[in-house]
Amino acid sequence: MEKYKWTKEETRIALYAYLKGMSRCEATTLAESMGISSGAFIMRMANFRYLDTNGQKGLSSIKKLEQEVWDEYCNNKSDWIKTMEQKYSF
């Protein structure tokens, strides 16, 4: 079975879901609407939790793309969230 290759935009959406504190049920619904495994989406959110808590919580299997998106967010937090909300009408 071929491993799923996440896009930057999907990764941004997972970060947004994490930042907004989406429940497992909400994250599952969002992942399924995107055609992504809910388990993979929730794990991606947990990877962002790891970055957000400086390694105290979450999953430590951070990928290069996740780090790039996290850095993008950290460099401009308020505008980043506004842009996501406008782009996706969350």
Side-chain angles (χ1 to χ4, degrees), residues 30-44:
L30 178 57
E32 289 173 354
S33 75
M34 295 168 56
I36 297 173
S37 154
S38 60
F41 191 82
I42 290 166
M43 285 193 292
R44 183 74 31 138

Side-chain angles (χ1 to χ4, degrees), residues 20-38:
K20 287 300 186 176
M22 280 191 183
S23 69
R24 187 181 222 40
C25 183
E26 291 170 320
T28 296
T29 300
L30 178 57
E32 289 173 354
S33 75
M34 295 168 56
I36 297 173
S37 154
S38 60

Side-chain angles (χ1 to χ4, degrees), residues 46-55 57 59 62 66-67 70:
N47 289 346
F48 285 120
R49 185 174 189 201
Y50 181 85
L51 290 170
D52 192 30
T53 62
N54 294 315
K57 296 180 181 179
L59 298 175
I62 307 303
E66 289 163 311
Q67 187 67 57
W70 178 255

Side-chain angles (χ1 to χ4, degrees), residues 9 12-14 16-17 20 22 30 33-34 41 80-90:
E9 209 54 35
R12 285 180 179 134
I13 292 169
Y16 182 82
K20 287 300 186 176
M22 280 191 183
L30 178 57
S33 75
M34 295 168 56
F41 191 82
W80 191 92
I81 290 172
K82 286 178 194 173
T83 299
M84 290 298 290
E85 288 174 343
Q86 290 170 348
K87 190 172 187 175
Y88 293 103
S89 301
F90 289 117

